[in-house]
Structure formats: C-alpha cells, structure tokens
Amino acid sequence: MKHHLLPVSPTNIHWGYFSKKVAPALTLKSGDRATIETLTHHANDDYERMIANDPGAESVFHWTKEHKSVVRRGAGPTEGPFVRGSGEGLGVHLLTGPVAIENAEPGDILEVRILDVRPRPSCNACHAGKCFGSNAAASWGFHYHDLIEEPKPREVITIFELDTSGEPYAKAVYNYIWTPQTDPDGIVHPTIDYPGVRVDHTLVRKRENILPNVRVPARLHFGTMGLAPSESDFVSSIPPGYTGGNIDDWRVGKGARMYYPVAVSGAFFSVGDPHAAQGDSELGGTAIETSLTGDFEFILHKNRDLGGTVLEGLTHPMLETDQQWSMYGFTFPNYLAELGKDAQTDIVNHSSLDKAMRDAFRKLRRFLMTVHKMSEDEAIALMSVAADFGVTQVVDANWGVHGSIRKNVFRCT
Amino acid sequence: MKHHLLPVSPTNIHWGYFSKKVAPALTLKSGDRATIETLTHHANDDYERMIANDPGAESVFHWTKEHKSVVRRGAGPTEGPFVRGSGEGLGVHLLTGPVAIENAEPGDILEVRILDVRPRPSCNACHAGKCFGSNAAASWGFHYHDLIEEPKPREVITIFELDTSGEPYAKAVYNYIWTPQTDPDGIVHPTIDYPGVRVDHTLVRKRENILPNVRVPARLHFGTMGLAPSESDFVSSIPPGYTGGNIDDWRVGKGARMYYPVAVSGAFFSVGDPHAAQGDSELGGTAIETSLTGDFEFILHKNRDLGGTVLEGLTHPMLETDQQWSMYGFTFPNYLAELGKDAQTDIVNHSSLDKAMRDAFRKLRRFLMTVHKMSEDEAIALMSVAADFGVTQVVDANWGVHGSIRKNVFRCT
C-alpha cells in the first residue's frame, strides 16, 4: 500500500467537468491511499479570506488580462467568442484529479473510503489559522423565482467562518447581494454565471451582524466526487449521474464509503466541491463552500468478484456509513444516455423529485432483492416500515432523492 | 388539571373522517391530560391476533349480517346502494374522539403533547401479552403499478410481532396476498377498498419465514392526528391538510409536541392510525399498523397571545421535538379550499412531491422570518446549509415533504 499526495495546482485540477480525456494527475493501485487537496470554486467570493497568500489556491485562481492559469471552466465550447468564458461555465466545480486506478475497467466498482476530512485554513496573515466558506443563494436555487423581499430576483453571498476549537460549527460573518462583476477578459457577469470570477468588494455592500444567534453544526463533506462517464468527452460537473459526481449528500464525509460503477478504463476519479455544511435539498443552490483536504483509500472491485457481495448488480452510486446504506435516485438514472446529444443543457428542463423518488425506490428494491435475497413483497414491506427517503438536492438539474436503510435492521435475532 | 380516560368504543370513535359535526367523545380544558386508546383499522387483517377477546376492539369491529356496530366508514355517501359500503371507504382510519377543547376558536392554536405511547397487547390467550401489527402493500402504494414479480398487480399483507422486552423492535410473522373478501353485507372487496373487512384466513395462503434476518426498530407514533377542518362536514381521513390529519410522520411519537391551527369552535381533536414503525415515504401505502394507547396533554394557545411566540402566524401543522422543528409541506397546503367541491376525490389526481417541496420551503422560510426575525436572505442561507427536507409520504394523495431545522442551530454563542 502506498500513500500518495495530490496537492492542488493548475495541472492537478480540472474545472467544471468530468472527463475521460484529461491526463491523470495521479495513477495508483487498488489498496493505495491518497491525501487530496480540494478547493472551493467559490473562494473568489472573498479573495482575501480564501485565496490570498495560499500558493495552491492562488496558482489555480490566477486570472489577469495577460494570463488565466486554468482556461477551460465547464464542458462547453472553448473557442470564442464566448458568452461567459471558455467552457462557458457549463459545470462549475473545481475538481482535483483525475486519479486513475490501475486495472480498472468498465463493469468494475470503485470503492472510495473517506478516512479523514480537514478544512483548509486561510493563509492571509489577517485571518491566520481561520477557515472560511461561502454560501451562494444563486439563480439556480429552488427559491430564486419565489422570493418575497425586494429586490427580486437577487443572488446573495454569505461568508461563514468555521470554528474548529470544539465540535466544529460555522458562524456567518457577513453577506452581500451580487452585483455585476467584470472579469479580466472584459466579460460582464450580471449573475453568478461563470466560476472563479473575483468579486470586487468595492462593488458590493457588505451587511454585518447577520444570523447573530445562529451556529451551524459542521458536516464536512465533498459535494462532488465520482468517475468519468463514458458517454461524452467532457461532462458538466453539475448534474449527478450513474458514475456519481455532484450528488451533494452531506453524509459523504469522514467514515463514508462510496461505491461507483466504473465506466471507462482507469476509472478516472475526481473530487471537489468541498462543503463545511449542507442541508438535505441544498435549497438555495450551494452549501457552505469551503476548501477541504481529505484522506482517501481506493479499493477496486473487479466485475468477476461482485457476485454474492453487496456490490452485485450495482449500476449506480451507493453510500455506506457505519449506520446505513443509501441509494441515490435521480430524475434520470443516466441522463446522458436518456436525453441524447443535448443532454447536458436539456436536463435542467426536466428536474423532478417525483421521478427521483421513483428511481430511488427502484434502486433500493433492487438492493434488497439482490443483496439480501428478499422477495419483492419482503422488500416492499421492509421499505415501507423501515427505509427513509430524503430530498438530496433540488438544485443540480438532475434532482436527487436518496433512499436509506439502516444497518441495524439486518441484525440477526 | 384533570386526567381523562378515553377508551375505544363505538361511541368514542369515528371511522374514516374528520368532522365538526360529530358529538364530542370528551370535552376538556386547556392544561388537561387524557389517556386515549386507538385502534388500527387494519386489525381485521388478522382477527385472531388483533381483535379476538379484546372487548374494545370487538365492540368497534363488530359486523355481522344483522348488526354493524360502526356503520359509516369514510366521508362518502351513507345512503345505498353502495359500491363499497356506507361512507364508501372515502377515508379509512379509525379515529378516537373528537376531543373538544373548551374555549377553542378559529384562529387559536392547539398544542398536543404526546407524553407516552404504549402498544396494545393481544387479548387472545394464544398470543397473550404479545403485540401485533399489519403492513399492507396496497393499491395506493407508490410501488403498485411498478411491480416486477408476478402476479401483477397484487396487494400483500405482512403481519409483524412487536418485541418490547428491550429496545422495542418488530419481526415479520407471515404474509399473504390479498384475495377477494366478501363482507357480511355481501359486498365483494377484490382489493383493500373498504376498512375493517375481516380477512377470511381460509381464503389466503400464508407464507412463513419471511424477512428472517430482519428486525425493524420500533418508532411508535400516531399516523393520523389533528383537528376538524371547517370546509366540509365530513372530510376523508386520508389526505393531510392545514389542520393536520394523516401526516404520517414517525417523529410524532413520545416526546413530540404538535401544533395545529383551530378551524372550528371546540377544535375537535381526533387521533388514530397508530403505527409501530414507518419509514419516511410510507412507500407501500401503510406502516406497521398497530393499536396503541397514548397519554396526551392539551394546551390551547389563544390567537391574541400568539404574537412574539413560536406560534405567531402559524397556519399549518408544525412539530416540535427535543431536537428539531418540522414544518409540513403538502402538494396543496389546503386542498379542500384549493380544489373546491370535488376536492376529496380529486386530490388523488394531483399528487406531487415537487409541489410539496415548494410548500415546505415556503413554510420553513416563514417560520425563520417570523419567529426568528431573519431577513429573507438569512433564512434562505440557513435553510440551504442547515435545514433537512425529507419525503414524509407518497401515499396519502396530498403528498408530503417535511422541512426540519435543528434546535442546536439557534444556540447563542
């Protein structure tokens, strides 16, 4: 077993997409471990707190008129003229990787264990040792066209500080309404439509003393984690799918084991979208977006060895924690295949919790029937009396419902 | 403070509906307590285990060609000829009550504290001291038109036994596929379409040794609990609404406090649909339906006193537990008013989790803004990072999503 280190840098990250075409940042064997740094793509909401003097973050976010260190941001066109910028922001998450797994082939399952998760402290001397995150109540939020206070609509950034002295929790520091921001290439961003645009704090009005009596218990986790799909060379990081991706379940933190179907040779694992805390639904469009570093272990389960294990017949992402198993249902189980060539832009027109609930039901039924050898009648009775279905997210185009069954249900008597 | 006792009997229950027109079974003052027995309407799925020799249950379920002790079952017509029977099964739950609260008027809020919940043991000498329940994977279940095994479709009854020797849990005893059952009036019930029809066990094939390695942790609670709406004289007990009713949240158990808007003079509280365990979604149509007895405390909050309290502006059912607050969202917040005169039959054509999510979001936002004096931007940021939205049920026509916020979020620092 080897323990690898994968720091953030322009060559170790890709921005806004999963891809089978990107050269691996790291190649490892089943059983290996890796410490992987991840950056929040919202760090530029407060450059001073989340980027300044951090060599890794500065190297990735660097963007002047002369030089943009990571040009492509998103799975969209990279030939101008651009509406929003290279990649067009069709996908927004900073992802570290890909990590190639030796010998991984389509049909295999990659298990990823999260051994530890740590916040990334500010490197700015003014905020030394402190950790910060940003929540964007954004145009893609569930609330956006349903606001009651003026001005309508509006996007709002709230900056949080993470206190890790005891049980970690987050406190709001200030918020501001997004105002049009001009990027170094001269493109104006009237809304949060392209990732990594530095917010000019002279153009926004900060409101302090917000949420004064609130502290948000931390749930450190990775919102986006998964493998490269086979269907397209560049796949937007926003809609989750059959190889995982932007699942946005706060349970994907320390101690979690995620299982992903391998779709391409080498698996091509990437991770990012780190979160300090999020609720089930991610209502406003984002969590507390905070740079994190994780320790991971990778175990490749070959297709020929899956029979008779909990992974038999698995065709979608699945979570195991000490307490439970969760199956991830989506509006479309595989929107790339189901919606065809315009899938990545069309999916946003089809978002549905009702369909995600249907998918989660079918996946949990399959798990109980295949893995636990239940009849369909046993599986449905058990789901009705003991399985909990929750709203994973209503903001990632391919909306999600998770179906969970507690492990103590299976204790023999 | 008085402590009242409300046992089950044909005069202390009403079957399948809420009603402002039923004479109160009990009238009490704010601050009073009551021990209230409730019966599961599924007891006749196994008469021997859940009714035989139990005087209260026998008196309510009694139905021969000569005498039917509770004639009306449901909010439907009571003049024949009947398709299914008197009340037409438009609403199915056996509800104990109504309990009238002195001085309660529309605009007030009734708080109901559940002090304790106990299962009702079998009175049959063969099963003395044991407690049983029934799960019906029924025609109104989410799975029903999406079955994979034959015969399709089918309804399945699973009988569970509750073990209360330690941490209570339920074990499956046997199951059977529903076969057409003929009631004492000669009406054939090809599906579970009318409550309280005794299943003739010579007409079904019992399958033993089911779910052999499964034990379901108990979550004793009341599926249906609430007040009489004002809109109609008889309101089906199936769709939940603004005065509560069939919310089917397993958190409504011991220690819970429910708050209901009063819609009619006297409030007219009823409770039933007792459950030994249920998962979020109640997927197959029912929980482990088990007769229970509860100890309740009733506190009337007059409209004039609500300002500045957590109840200010409350127009829907709300749950408080030691850990959290939950707001109940539905496809329609008040389907009776919104769908008009055919609401009770029409609601089943409109079921939607997406709409229920919308309603839950709006209700939780209102709570945070009104009670916690947050700006809309503070409320939305907090919901996104700390509120959990879950699928309450997808089987009660007016589908439900609950939005919950943990109390420890509000701890001052």
Side-chain angles (χ1 to χ4, degrees):
Chain A
M1 189 274 285
K2 262 190 155 170
H3 193 121
H4 307 263
L5 180 63
L6 193 57
V8 288
S9 75
T11 53
N12 285 349
I13 63 94
H14 47 109
W15 200 329
Y17 53 88
F18 283 86
S19 175
K20 61 188 179 189
K21 293 293 187 188
V22 175
L26 173 67
T27 298
L28 50 71
K29 290 186 204 302
S30 177
D32 282 358
R33 294 181 175 188
T35 295
I36 303 179
E37 296 181 359
T38 68
L39 292 174
T40 172
H41 56 291
H42 279 274
N44 248 332
D45 293 340
D46 185 331
Y47 172 88
E48 291 298 330
R49 283 182 167 82
M50 293 190 273
I51 297 178
N53 299 329
D54 180 329
E58 284 192 338
S59 74
V60 168
F61 280 93
H62 180 79
W63 185 4
T64 60
K65 195 166 181 180
E66 293 70 37
H67 183 65
K68 183 183 181 187
S69 65
V70 183
V71 175
R72 176 197 267 272
R73 304 181 184 185
T78 55
E79 299 294 320
F82 299 114
V83 178
R84 299 181 191 84
S86 178
E88 291 293 3
L90 182 64
V92 295
H93 307 93
L94 264 170
L95 299 176
T96 308
V99 176
I101 315 297
E102 282 185 22
N103 198 30
E105 294 297 336
D108 300 342
I109 298 289
L110 183 65
E111 174 182 349
V112 181
R113 298 183 182 183
I114 303 178
L115 307 176
D116 196 21
V117 186
R118 299 174 294 278
R120 184 182 184 96
S122 180
C123 293
N124 184 331
C126 302
H127 307 288
K130 295 183 176 180
C131 303
F132 297 96
S134 169
N135 170 256
S139 64
W140 58 90
F142 189 78
H143 67 290
Y144 191 64
H145 297 291
D146 198 10
L147 288 164
I148 47 181
E149 291 188 344
E150 296 293 346
K152 293 191 278 196
R154 65 187 180 278
E155 295 182 304
V156 176
I157 299 291
T158 305
I159 301 297
F160 284 87
E161 180 179 339
L162 195 60
D163 185 311
T164 58
S165 57
E167 274 296 296
Y169 67 90
K171 284 276 300 174
V173 183
Y174 66 87
N175 70 10
Y176 59 81
I177 295 174
W178 182 274
T179 58
Q181 300 292 325
T182 305
D183 71 31
D185 294 334
I187 296 179
V188 178
H189 301 276
T191 62
I192 305 169
D193 64 2
Y194 192 74
V197 173
R198 179 169 168 178
V199 174
D200 181 345
H201 278 210
T202 66
L203 300 178
V204 297
R205 192 172 65 80
K206 290 190 195 179
R207 300 175 294 194
E208 319 264 350
N209 299 316
I210 55 162
L211 293 167
N213 299 319
V214 165
R215 53 196 223 183
V216 178
R219 293 169 162 176
L220 304 183
H221 66 281
F222 297 98
T224 305
M225 193 164 109
L227 310 184
S230 62
E231 283 75 3
S232 296
D233 288 349
F234 294 88
V235 177
S236 167
S237 66
I238 292 173
Y242 73 105
T243 57
N246 191 27
I247 289 176
D248 278 326
D249 182 358
W250 56 266
R251 296 161 190 83
V252 184
K254 182 175 178 174
R257 300 175 182 199
M258 283 292 296
Y259 302 92
Y260 303 104
V262 174
V264 302
S265 291
F268 280 47
F269 169 86
S270 297
V271 56
D273 191 24
H275 292 167
Q278 188 209 292
D280 277 336
S281 86
E282 203 182 22
L283 190 115
T286 65
I288 298 179
E289 312 280 327
T290 312
S291 298
L292 297 174
T293 296
D295 297 332
F296 299 87
E297 183 171 292
F298 299 86
I299 299 167
L300 181 65
H301 300 272
K302 294 300 291 179
N303 183 270
R304 62 176 176 273
D305 301 327
L306 302 180
T309 77
V310 294
L311 303 179
E312 182 175 341
L314 185 68
T315 60
H316 57 81
M318 178 170 77
L319 167 70
E320 179 182 4
T321 70
D322 287 348
Q323 286 79 40
Q324 66 183 48
W325 297 90
S326 291
M327 310 296 140
Y328 293 106
F330 307 115
T331 302
F332 292 97
N334 181 350
Y335 78 100
L336 293 167
E338 290 168 89
L339 291 178
K341 79 173 174 47
D342 295 326
Q344 297 192 49
T345 49
D346 195 26
I347 179 65
V348 74
N349 302 315
H350 297 274
S351 307
S352 161
L353 279 182
D354 294 316
K355 288 184 178 177
M357 176 71 207
R358 177 69 54 197
D359 187 37
F361 152 58
R362 290 175 176 169
K363 285 170 174 171
L364 188 52
R365 174 177 60 184
R366 188 209 65 80
F367 176 77
L368 295 172
M369 292 178 70
T370 302
V371 174
H372 291 280
K373 311 295 180 210
M374 292 181 188
S375 68
E376 185 176 30
D377 293 338
E378 290 175 300
I380 287 169
L382 181 60
M383 277 191 277
S384 199
V385 306
D388 293 316
F389 290 81
V391 176
T392 329
Q393 48 76 25
V394 287
V395 296
D396 298 332
N398 200 16
W399 288 4
V401 167
H402 51 277
S404 303
I405 187 87
R406 288 159 286 161
K407 286 181 169 177
N408 65 357
V409 161
F410 300 111
R411 201 183 318 160
C412 299
T413 55
Chain B
M1 189 272 286
K2 262 190 156 170
H3 193 121
H4 308 263
L5 178 64
L6 192 58
V8 288
S9 74
T11 53
N12 285 348
I13 63 94
H14 47 108
W15 200 328
Y17 53 89
F18 284 84
S19 175
K20 62 188 178 189
K21 293 293 187 187
V22 175
L26 173 67
T27 298
L28 49 71
K29 291 188 203 300
S30 177
D32 281 359
R33 295 181 173 188
T35 295
I36 302 179
E37 296 182 359
T38 69
L39 292 174
T40 171
H41 56 293
H42 279 274
N44 248 333
D45 293 340
D46 187 332
Y47 172 88
E48 291 299 329
R49 281 181 168 83
M50 292 189 274
I51 297 177
N53 298 330
D54 179 330
E58 284 192 337
S59 73
V60 168
F61 280 94
H62 180 79
W63 183 5
T64 60
K65 196 167 180 179
E66 294 70 37
H67 183 64
K68 183 183 181 186
S69 65
V70 183
V71 175
R72 175 197 267 272
R73 303 182 183 185
T78 53
E79 299 293 321
F82 298 115
V83 178
R84 300 180 190 86
S86 178
E88 291 292 3
L90 182 64
V92 296
H93 307 92
L94 263 170
L95 299 176
T96 308
V99 175
I101 316 298
E102 284 185 23
N103 197 32
E105 292 298 334
D108 299 342
I109 299 288
L110 183 65
E111 174 182 350
V112 181
R113 300 183 181 183
I114 303 179
L115 307 176
D116 196 20
V117 186
R118 299 174 294 278
R120 183 182 184 96
S122 180
C123 294
N124 184 331
C126 303
H127 305 289
K130 295 183 175 179
C131 303
F132 298 96
S134 170
N135 171 257
S139 64
W140 59 89
F142 188 78
H143 67 290
Y144 190 65
H145 297 291
D146 197 10
L147 288 164
I148 48 181
E149 291 188 343
E150 297 291 347
K152 293 190 279 196
R154 65 187 180 280
E155 294 182 303
V156 176
I157 298 291
T158 304
I159 300 297
F160 285 85
E161 180 179 340
L162 196 60
D163 186 310
T164 57
S165 57
E167 274 296 298
Y169 66 91
K171 286 274 302 173
V173 184
Y174 66 88
N175 70 10
Y176 59 82
I177 295 175
W178 182 273
T179 56
Q181 300 291 327
T182 305
D183 71 30
D185 294 333
I187 296 178
V188 178
H189 302 276
T191 61
I192 305 169
D193 65 2
Y194 192 74
V197 174
R198 180 169 167 178
V199 174
D200 181 345
H201 279 210
T202 67
L203 299 179
V204 298
R205 191 171 66 79
K206 290 189 195 179
R207 301 175 293 195
E208 319 264 350
N209 299 315
I210 55 163
L211 294 167
N213 299 319
V214 164
R215 53 195 223 183
V216 178
R219 292 168 163 177
L220 304 183
H221 66 282
F222 298 97
T224 305
M225 194 165 109
L227 310 185
S230 61
E231 284 75 4
S232 296
D233 288 349
F234 295 88
V235 177
S236 167
S237 66
I238 291 173
Y242 74 105
T243 56
N246 191 28
I247 289 176
D248 278 325
D249 182 358
W250 56 266
R251 296 162 190 83
V252 184
K254 182 177 177 173
R257 299 175 184 200
M258 284 292 297
Y259 302 92
Y260 303 104
V262 174
V264 301
S265 290
F268 279 46
F269 169 85
S270 298
V271 56
D273 192 23
H275 293 167
Q278 188 208 291
D280 277 336
S281 85
E282 204 183 23
L283 190 115
T286 65
I288 299 179
E289 311 280 327
T290 311
S291 298
L292 298 173
T293 297
D295 297 332
F296 300 87
E297 183 170 293
F298 299 87
I299 300 167
L300 181 66
H301 299 272
K302 293 301 291 179
N303 182 269
R304 63 175 175 271
D305 302 326
L306 302 180
T309 77
V310 294
L311 303 179
E312 181 176 341
L314 186 68
T315 59
H316 56 81
M318 178 170 78
L319 167 70
E320 179 181 5
T321 71
D322 287 348
Q323 286 78 41
Q324 66 185 49
W325 297 90
S326 291
M327 309 297 140
Y328 293 106
F330 307 114
T331 302
F332 292 96
N334 181 351
Y335 77 101
L336 293 167
E338 290 169 88
L339 291 177
K341 81 174 171 44
D342 295 326
Q344 298 193 48
T345 50
D346 194 27
I347 178 65
V348 74
N349 302 315
H350 297 274
S351 306
S352 162
L353 279 181
D354 295 316
K355 288 184 178 176
M357 175 71 206
R358 177 69 53 198
D359 187 36
F361 152 59
R362 290 174 177 170
K363 286 170 174 171
L364 188 52
R365 174 177 59 185
R366 189 209 64 80
F367 176 76
L368 295 172
M369 293 177 70
T370 302
V371 175
H372 291 279
K373 310 294 180 211
M374 292 182 187
S375 69
E376 185 176 31
D377 293 338
E378 291 174 300
I380 286 169
L382 180 60
M383 278 191 276
S384 199
V385 306
D388 294 316
F389 290 82
V391 177
T392 329
Q393 49 76 25
V394 288
V395 295
D396 298 332
N398 200 17
W399 288 3
V401 166
H402 51 276
S404 303
I405 188 85
R406 287 159 287 161
K407 286 181 170 178
N408 65 357
V409 161
F410 300 111
R411 201 183 319 159
C412 299
T413 54

